[in-house]
Amino acid sequence: MGQAILVVEDDREISGLVSALLVREGFSARVAENGAAMDRLLAESPADLILLDLMLPGEDGLSICRRLRADGAIPIIMVTAKSDDIDRIIGLEVGADDYVAKPFNPRELVARIRAVLRRTAPAAAPATASSRRVRFEDFVFDIDAHRLFRGTEEIALSTGDYDLLAVFIERPMRVLTRDQLMDLTKGRSWEAFDRSIDVALSRLRRKIEADPTKPALIKTVRNAGYMFATTVRKD
Amino acid sequence: MGQAILVVEDDREISGLVSALLVREGFSARVAENGAAMDRLLAESPADLILLDLMLPGEDGLSICRRLRADGAIPIIMVTAKSDDIDRIIGLEVGADDYVAKPFNPRELVARIRAVLRRTAPAAAPATASSRRVRFEDFVFDIDAHRLFRGTEEIALSTGDYDLLAVFIERPMRVLTRDQLMDLTKGRSWEAFDRSIDVALSRLRRKIEADPTKPALIKTVRNAGYMFATTVRKD
DNA sequence: ACGGTTTGTAACGGCGTGTAACGGCGCTTG
DNA sequence: CAAGCGCCGTTACACGCCGTTACAAACCGT
């Protein structure tokens, strides 16, 4: 779903709050408690942005920042507890993309993350971002443009249809629980008697299944959830 | 003498303190109390960076920022009294280079000024690279001339149509909220029951969509805003 | 086959969005 | 300066989306 943010922070309470905030805002968040843990997580999968605390056990935030700058071009936002430190960090020219002082306004933090991602995005991809497309069965799904085609016919998708399909496309051949679907599409968690996912699914099936009474694309997995049961080819 | 900073701030006390600080740090500082005074000073001699307060008598800081961004590439740091405003300003994408909340740590302010000057210094020269003409689908849009063509046919645009389209062109494949659209086109913020954006969009769609009842270029994203859903090629 | 549980979906209604229509304002023109 | 015109903000209403509810159908253990 969202872009991957890596939070490097040794205070569990703060990292918990921040990662919850980020997930709520549509990012995916991982936490590392020190430089070594960060390296391990980056080896597993890359991050789109790193939120880096200054004070850390072991290797210092400044050192980590310099190191990251040296090899990759991952955007970095430095976080520091004492606002007096900020001018020092900036002065040191470690090359972070932005700087935030604790305690920070959550919405400001999110806004600064978005601003940095926006600013650095054109550098990575060409400014005229081409749209991502995938194929499955005889469909072509233009993810960025929110458009779905079967053959040459366009199938109109509501925002709800799109959210659901986009989630499935990214996770084919895997059972997704109602809780996961709820979280990934609406950003809120699923409560016991909530049927909105089922109804949304029924509506999506009506548009994309050849025979909605015998679903072939989106299978029901009883007592578990739903699964996008076809292969997805990147274009 | 150091680089020329222009402080746009109506509070005499603050502007006095800031300009003293800047001079002490080796910059040259001038003060303007509002947008008109700023224009006069810029006409006399250019500035290397503008420190722009959000709340000003007469023309608003956001409006000034947009105006400055439109013609030149002078680095701008926005200053605001309420830290809650910061996330909104950043979210609005007025395009400032940094944002600082009052009351600020003087050394942090200086550090941020230096950081912005450092970052923007090399970018100044090759700024005039891109042509001001873009293509999308089978349209050619001449941004400077305010003219839009589909194939060889010209499509007449009102200034309202143009403003909206120009904003979208610069931010393809991104959902823009009504608040952002309002601010970027009209320079004022969006209030809950204001439908003028919706109507303006409807009028633009009527001119550029093949089938305005099934919008393909400008998608509605329910509960969020609108998105220009096509790729834009620079000419 | 029976009863309880889970899933499918039609129907309803609240609310967000599309857009026709009206009218004020500023600009052009004679 | 009056008349005409086009632009655009407001209003009002129609329509579509989606969360909820209710009931039917499918499923499963016994």
Side-chain angles (χ1 to χ4, degrees):
Chain A
M1 204 49 185
Q3 287 164 288
I5 314 290
L6 181 47
V7 180
V8 187
E9 165 69 64
D10 59 317
D11 183 326
R12 291 263 166 99
E13 191 178 347
I14 293 179
S15 62
L17 287 171
V18 170
S19 61
L21 168 70
L22 294 177
V23 169
R24 207 175 325 125
E25 292 289 337
F27 300 99
S28 90
R30 290 181 294 168
V31 174
E33 302 204 348
N34 54 55
M38 180 194 76
D39 291 333
R40 243 174 289 123
L41 289 178
L42 282 181
E44 279 175 23
S45 72
D48 295 305
L49 184 144
I50 294 181
L51 213 58
L52 181 57
D53 193 41
L54 177 64
M55 296 284 284
L56 289 170
E59 188 184 7
D60 175 75
L62 288 178
S63 155
I64 296 176
C65 183
R66 239 176 268 113
R67 198 151 59 73
L68 288 168
R69 244 324 97 85
D71 35 84
I74 305 180
I76 300 168
I77 296 181
M78 293 288 297
V79 181
T80 174
K82 294 200 300 298
S83 73
D84 276 4
D85 283 345
I86 280 210
D87 61 302
R88 212 186 114 248
I89 306 175
I90 302 177
L92 286 175
E93 303 192 29
V94 284
D97 296 276
D98 205 343
Y99 313 85
V100 178
K102 283 192 273 196
F104 40 75
N105 175 331
R107 298 196 301 147
E108 176 182 345
L109 179 65
V110 171
R112 285 193 182 268
I113 288 173
R114 293 227 165 86
V116 166
L117 285 172
R118 210 180 296 137
R119 203 160 62 214
T120 56
T128 59
S130 71
S131 62
R132 295 169 298 149
R133 288 186 158 196
V134 296
R135 295 168 187 277
F136 59 93
E137 308 285 316
D138 56 340
F139 292 88
V140 176
F141 183 41
D142 187 325
I143 300 172
D144 293 316
H146 292 211
R147 298 178 74 177
L148 177 67
F149 303 85
R150 173 160 44 204
T152 62
E153 298 295 304
E154 175 159 12
I155 299 173
L157 292 182
S158 74
T159 311
D161 297 331
Y162 167 82
D163 288 342
L164 210 43
L165 185 55
V167 165
F168 278 118
I169 286 295
E170 300 287 342
R171 298 162 186 77
M173 301 302 219
R174 265 177 49 197
V175 178
L176 299 173
T177 65
R178 287 181 176 72
D179 199 8
Q180 289 175 313
L181 291 169
M182 201 67 186
D183 193 63
L184 291 166
T185 55
K186 308 284 147 57
R188 54 196 176 82
S189 69
W190 179 80
E191 309 293 335
F193 290 100
D194 187 342
R195 306 294 313 283
S196 61
I197 287 288
D198 307 54
V199 177
L201 236 127
S202 172
R203 286 173 174 143
L204 177 58
R205 276 176 173 158
R206 199 175 308 154
K207 293 189 181 179
I208 67 174
E209 293 282 2
D211 179 359
T213 64
K214 298 184 189 58
L217 288 173
I218 303 178
K219 296 276 196 193
T220 303
V221 183
R222 193 160 224 265
N223 295 312
Y226 298 93
M227 180 172 66
F228 194 66
T230 188
T231 53
V232 175
R233 306 180 288 287
K234 292 207 162 58
D235 215 29
Chain B
M1 204 43 145
Q3 288 164 289
I5 314 291
L6 180 47
V7 181
V8 186
E9 166 68 65
D10 60 317
D11 184 325
R12 292 264 167 95
E13 192 180 345
I14 294 180
S15 62
L17 286 170
V18 170
S19 61
L21 166 70
L22 293 177
V23 170
R24 205 177 325 124
E25 293 287 338
F27 299 99
S28 92
R30 289 180 294 169
V31 174
E33 302 203 351
N34 54 54
M38 181 195 77
D39 291 333
R40 248 174 283 123
L41 289 179
L42 284 180
E44 280 174 22
S45 73
D48 295 305
L49 184 144
I50 294 180
L51 212 59
L52 180 59
D53 192 41
L54 177 65
M55 295 284 283
L56 289 171
E59 189 183 7
D60 175 75
L62 288 176
S63 156
I64 296 175
C65 182
R66 213 172 303 107
R67 201 151 56 73
L68 288 169
R69 244 324 96 87
D71 31 86
I74 305 179
I76 300 168
I77 296 181
M78 294 285 297
V79 181
T80 175
K82 295 200 298 298
S83 73
D84 274 4
D85 283 345
I86 279 211
D87 63 303
R88 198 175 142 261
I89 303 176
I90 300 176
L92 287 176
E93 308 190 19
V94 285
D97 297 278
D98 206 344
Y99 313 84
V100 178
K102 284 193 271 194
F104 40 75
N105 176 329
R107 298 197 300 145
E108 175 181 345
L109 179 65
V110 170
R112 285 192 184 266
I113 289 173
R114 292 226 165 86
V116 167
L117 285 172
R118 208 182 301 135
R119 200 161 64 211
T120 56
T128 59
S130 69
S131 151
R132 305 248 48 200
R133 176 179 271 225
V134 297
R135 295 168 186 276
F136 58 93
E137 307 285 314
D138 57 338
F139 291 87
V140 176
F141 183 41
D142 187 327
I143 300 173
D144 293 321
H146 292 213
R147 297 177 72 180
L148 177 67
F149 303 85
R150 172 161 43 204
T152 62
E153 299 294 305
E154 175 159 13
I155 298 172
L157 291 182
S158 73
T159 47
D161 298 330
Y162 169 82
D163 288 343
L164 212 41
L165 186 55
V167 164
F168 277 119
I169 286 294
E170 300 289 341
R171 298 162 185 78
M173 300 302 201
R174 291 230 313 264
V175 177
L176 299 174
T177 65
R178 286 181 176 71
D179 197 11
Q180 290 175 320
L181 291 170
M182 200 67 187
D183 195 82
L184 291 166
T185 57
K186 309 285 149 56
R188 54 195 177 80
S189 71
W190 179 80
E191 309 294 336
F193 290 101
D194 187 342
R195 306 294 313 283
S196 61
I197 286 288
D198 306 55
V199 177
L201 233 124
S202 174
R203 300 207 240 251
L204 176 57
R205 275 178 174 158
R206 199 176 307 152
K207 294 189 181 179
I208 68 173
E209 293 282 2
D211 178 358
T213 64
K214 297 187 190 60
L217 289 174
I218 303 178
K219 291 281 193 186
T220 302
V221 183
R222 191 165 231 257
N223 296 312
Y226 298 94
M227 180 177 68
F228 194 66
T230 190
T231 53
V232 176
R233 306 179 288 287
K234 293 208 161 62
D235 217 29

